[in-house]
């Protein structure tokens, strides 16, 4: 089994349906499109007077966040609630792990409380995969962001934003700008754009903020905004991930803004109808000018709204891809 097959097999069941959602890596275009189509159909639920559908009634979703988050955690909560699931959210950084309990023990305890699905955010790359490999066979794991590695629901909400505003991916030029080195959003977005057929993916960053081997993602790198932004259809800005930086990578925030900040002036290099995106939290005056963040081309708040629909899609798809207890019993009887 190749590493790609291994990733695919952990995330997909024997029928090719989603059973965990850990990374974009290894997932086929049809599945990403199915997530987008399902999310599209859920968008309307948010406009209803009663914002609920009964798909996950009687199921328990547990958000386990070992790292801080506002947008991601609350939109996962809302998504689960709109699907009629019971939801609990745990900020584990402030509870048992600080008392020395391992990641594994925390999960085992939550499993004993009969949760059907865990949404996990962790500062270690690979944490969600590790949990998915060890958890009971009928519990689904959704990655809410692991270290610098992956943030697949953010990538899918970004793809939904692009598709809803631009129609398709086929003729687009998309630029991802800023701290690529520390960004799980950049990695997941590069993979999703590639899988969905975007022909021109650009990354614009100072050389010190580009990871080694970035070419393998099939992107073109630029070290200045003037050439990188030329005629693009979409600009995805990233936050400087200071918490993951170990000194010396940047002269100063002021210098970064001077060279890579998205100002009104610079945005003119892109197509006149180019979209401005950002996963948040935004730092005004560090990577983006306020007038651009709040301007007519910005879809930053639409991204948040679409995030709920994407998370509803992923939760409901992963739940229906789970093995039932009956099937698990049947398989273990067959093995004995
Ligand atoms: C991103 C994350 O946590 O990776 N934010 C988010 O999910 N809304 C990006 C970031 O923190 O800059």
């Amino acid at each position: 089994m190749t590493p790609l097959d291994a990733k695919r097999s952990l995330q997909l069941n024997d029928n090719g349906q989603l059973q965990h959602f850990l990374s974009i890596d290894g997932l086929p275009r049809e599945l990403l499109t199915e997530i987008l189509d399902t999310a599209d159909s859920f968008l309307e639920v948010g406009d209803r007077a009663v914002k609920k559908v009964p798909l996950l009634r009687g199921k328990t979703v547990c958000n386990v966040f070992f790292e801080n988050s506002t947008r991601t955690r609350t939109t996962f909560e809302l998504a689960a609630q709109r699907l009629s699931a019971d939801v609990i959210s745990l900020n584990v950084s402030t509870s048992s792990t600080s008392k020395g309990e391992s990641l594994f023990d925390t999960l085992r305890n939550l499993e004993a409380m009969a949760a059907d699905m865990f949404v996990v955010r962790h500062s270690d790359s690979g944490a969600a995969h590790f949990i998915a490999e060890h958890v009971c066979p009928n519990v689904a794991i959704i990655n809410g962001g692991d270290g610098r590695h992956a943030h697949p629901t953010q990538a899918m909400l970004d793809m939904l934003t692009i598709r809803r505003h631009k129609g398709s991916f086929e003729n687009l030029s998309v630029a991802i700008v800023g701290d690529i080195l520390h960004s799980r959003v950049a990695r997941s977005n590069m993979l999703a754009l590639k899988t969905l057929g975007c022909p021109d993916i650009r990354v614009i960053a100072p050389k010190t903020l580009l990871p080694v081997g970035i070419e393998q993602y099939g992107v073109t790198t630029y070290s200045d905004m003037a050439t990188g932004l030329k005629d693009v259809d979409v600009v995805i800005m990233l936050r400087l991930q200071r918490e993951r930086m170990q000194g010396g990578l940047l002269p100063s925030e002021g210098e970064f803004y001077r060279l890579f900040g998205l100002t009104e002036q610079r945005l003119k290099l892109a197509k006149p109808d180019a979209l401005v995106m950002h996963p948040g939290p935004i730092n005004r005056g560090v990577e983006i000018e306020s007038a651009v963040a709040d301007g007519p081309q910005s879809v930053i708040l639409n991204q948040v709204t679409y995030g709920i629909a994407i998370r509803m899609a992923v939760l409901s798809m992963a739940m229906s891809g789970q093995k039932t207890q009956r099937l698990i019993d049947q398989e273990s009887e067959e093995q004995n």
Side-chain angles (χ1 to χ4, degrees), residues 67 71-72 121 151 154 184-185 239 241 243-244 278-281:
E67 196 194 90
R71 250 164 305 263
T72 305
R121 170 170 283 202
H151 196 351
Q154 177 69 44
R184 51 196 175 207
V185 177
R239 181 177 66 87
Q241 316 256 309
E243 71 280 18
R244 300 199 187 113
H278 194 307

Side-chain angles (χ1 to χ4, degrees), residues 67-73 121 144-147 150-151 153-154 157 182-186 237-241 243-244 278-283 287 304 311:
E67 196 194 90
N68 286 343
S69 159
T70 345
R71 250 164 305 263
T72 305
R73 209 200 58 220
R121 170 170 283 202
D146 63 325
H151 196 351
T153 57
Q154 177 69 44
L157 77 87
H182 302 98
S183 174
R184 51 196 175 207
V185 177
M237 296 304 297
L238 300 171
R239 181 177 66 87
L240 289 177
Q241 316 256 309
E243 71 280 18
R244 300 199 187 113
H278 194 307
I282 60 172
N283 287 310
E287 71 269 354
V304 179
R311 287 167 179 140

